[in-house]
Amino acid sequence: MNSSRLVCSLRWIFAAVLACATLHAVAADERIAPKVIVLAGFEVGDDTGDAPGEFQFWAEREKLTGTLEIPGAPHPLRFNSAGLYGSVAGNTRDESLTTVPSSELIMALCLDPRLDLRKTYWIINGISGIDPAAGSIGSAVWAANVIDGDALREIGEAEMPKSWPYGLFAIGTTAPNQLPKKQADAGGWGGATLTYTMNYALNPALTRWAFEFSASHATLDDSPELKAWREKYTAYPAAQRPPQIMMGGTLASARYWHGEARTQWARDWVKLWTDGKDKLVTTAMEQAAYVGTLQRMAKKGFVDFNRVMMLRSASNYSTPPTGQDVTTTIGDESLGTVAAFEAQYRAGSVVAHELLAHWDRYATNTPAK
C-alpha cells in the first residue's frame, strides 16, 4: 500500500471511530432516566382488570400504560408520561415460589444499557405480617432497616439445650442472640473470619421524610370487619389501634413462620442485628433480595442506594388472637389483604407524586438530606 492510500485509510478509520464515539455519546444522552420506580413482590394474574395483587393499584391508578421489555427480567417495566415506572417480580401463575426473581429484576434493570438509574428513587412495596405488639392490620410501615432472616443455623427445639429460647441462631455463633465473632475460629466458611451483617440499613433521613410526608398527606381506611378482628387481640394494645402510617424494622424470610414463639425470635433477631436501634414491626419475604441486590449494584455505580425506600403494609398478624390456637390463623391473610393493598398505595403514592412534582429539587438533592 502506498503512502497516499495509507493516509486515506487511516483517515477513514479515524472518521469511523469518531462517528461511533459520537453515536455512543448521543445514545448515552438519550438513555431513559426513570425518576421513581415502584417495585412489588407479587401480582395476581394480570396487572390490571382482575383481582389485585401488590402491583395492580399502581398500574391502574397511575396509568402505567407504557411497557418496556427488559431482557432477563421476570416482568416488563411499565411507565407513564410523568416519569413513574413500576414492575413486579412474582406472579400467582408462577410454577415456583422463590425470592430469586426479585434479584433478577434488579439485575436486569441495572444492566439494561437503555436505562440510567443513577438518580432514580425506589419504592419497594408489598404486604406483610405485623407484630401485634407493634401495630395493627391495615397499617403502612416505612422501614429504615431490612433484616434478612434466612441465613442462619438451626436446631430442632426437641434437641436444643433447655436454656435456649429457640433453636435459631446466627452463623458463626454457638447459641441464640449472639453476634458472630470477628475472628478466624468463629466457625465460618473454611475457617474464614466473619464480618458480615444481616441488616440492610437504608437512608434513615429519607425513610423518616417518607414516613412524615405520607403520614401528613395520606389517610388509611378502616372497617367494622378490621375493628372486630383487632378487638380479639386483647393482650396487645397496639394491635387494637386503627390502621396508621408508621416506621419500624422489617424482617425478610422466604420461609413462612407464625405464632408467638417465632415472633419472639423475630423480635430478638431484629434487635440483635440493629444493635437495639430498631424493632420488629413487619415480616415478609422478598424485601432483602430487592435491597440486597440494589446495594450491590450501587457499589458498581448503577444506582444510588441512598434513594431506596421500603414500604410494607400489614395484611395479617404474625400471631393468632389472644388464647387462640396457632394453627387457626397460619397463612390466613384474607381479611386484611385488600386493606393492605390500599394502604401501601396510599402511603406510597403521595411520596411518589411529591418526588415527581418537584423533580427540579429532588433530582440532585434527596429529601431531608
Side-chain angles (χ1 to χ4, degrees):
M1 180 181 293
N2 60 38
S3 59
S4 61
R5 288 184 178 180
L6 177 60
V7 171
C8 182
S9 298
L10 289 174
R11 285 176 178 173
W12 184 88
I13 292 172
F14 177 76
V17 171
L18 182 61
C20 289
T22 302
L23 288 172
H24 179 74
V26 171
D29 291 341
E30 294 177 351
R31 292 172 69 194
I32 301 167
K35 298 173 183 176
V36 179
I37 293 182
V38 175
L39 297 179
F42 78 93
E43 185 49 58
V44 179
D46 296 332
D47 290 348
T48 62
D50 57 1
E54 293 176 338
F55 186 55
Q56 184 159 312
F57 287 171
W58 288 95
E60 291 179 340
R61 298 175 185 180
E62 298 300 323
K63 297 179 173 55
L64 303 182
T65 54
T67 57
L68 183 65
E69 292 291 337
I70 305 296
H75 188 277
L77 192 60
R78 301 183 67 125
F79 62 91
N80 64 19
S81 59
L84 178 63
Y85 288 68
S87 192
V88 59
N91 194 285
T92 53
R93 294 169 176 159
D94 293 343
E95 295 181 354
S96 60
L97 184 61
T98 173
T99 61
V100 171
S102 300
S103 291
E104 293 174 340
L105 179 54
I106 296 295
M107 292 284 287
L109 291 173
C110 290
L111 298 178
D112 192 312
R114 298 168 296 173
L115 299 179
D116 182 354
L117 306 174
R118 291 172 295 175
K119 292 184 177 181
T120 301
Y121 288 89
W122 304 77
I123 300 177
I124 317 295
N125 84 144
I127 62 174
S128 65
I130 192 166
D131 181 356
S136 59
I137 56 173
S139 295
V141 186
W142 296 93
N145 293 288
V146 180
I147 300 90
D148 190 337
D150 275 333
L152 45 69
R153 290 174 172 170
E154 183 171 0
I155 295 176
E157 269 73 3
E159 301 173 278
M160 71 182 190
K162 295 187 183 300
S163 60
W164 287 14
Y166 33 71
L168 306 173
F169 53 108
I171 293 172
T173 68
T174 57
N177 296 317
Q178 296 178 359
L179 289 174
K181 297 178 181 179
K182 296 181 180 180
Q183 57 192 53
D185 63 351
W189 301 278
T193 301
L194 294 174
T195 57
Y196 72 96
T197 179
M198 297 296 285
N199 179 32
Y200 296 99
L202 305 182
N203 182 343
L206 179 62
T207 301
R208 179 156 293 279
W209 171 82
F211 156 65
E212 292 177 349
F213 188 89
S214 60
S216 61
H217 288 79
T219 57
L220 305 184
D221 280 343
D222 198 1
S223 70
E225 292 78 15
L226 289 178
K227 185 175 185 296
W229 186 249
R230 295 196 305 263
E231 290 177 348
K232 296 177 182 289
Y233 285 79
T234 55
Y236 298 100
Q240 297 182 311
R241 296 195 301 251
Q244 56 190 290
I245 298 174
M246 308 167 55
M247 278 184 64
T250 185
L251 185 138
S253 172
R255 69 189 194 286
Y256 187 108
W257 51 265
H258 191 62
E260 182 60 39
R262 283 295 181 263
T263 296
Q264 187 56 53
W265 161 76
R267 293 167 184 154
D268 294 343
W269 192 254
V270 170
K271 180 180 178 181
L272 178 70
W273 289 104
T274 62
D275 195 27
K277 296 175 182 177
D278 209 346
K279 68 175 184 178
L280 171 74
V281 178
T282 62
T283 174
M285 292 178 65
E286 83 294 334
Q287 64 271 44
Y290 264 140
V291 298
T293 311
L294 279 167
Q295 187 180 76
R296 289 172 174 82
M297 292 295 97
K299 292 178 179 178
K300 301 293 184 181
F302 290 102
V303 302
D304 183 352
F305 196 66
N306 282 320
R307 296 182 175 220
V308 177
M309 291 167 277
M310 175 61 63
L311 175 63
R312 310 306 304 192
S313 57
S315 59
N316 60 290
Y317 293 105
S318 62
T319 70
T322 306
Q324 192 166 314
D325 186 86
V326 69
T327 60
T328 61
T329 54
I330 187 168
D332 184 5
E333 303 171 7
S334 56
L335 178 63
T337 296
V338 175
F341 292 151
E342 188 69 49
Q344 69 179 25
Y345 173 75
R346 292 192 184 187
S349 60
V350 294
V351 169
H353 295 162
E354 169 67 10
L355 293 169
L356 294 170
H358 300 286
W359 187 248
D360 57 337
R361 181 193 315 163
Y362 299 127
T364 53
N365 295 294
T366 58
K369 186 172 183 180

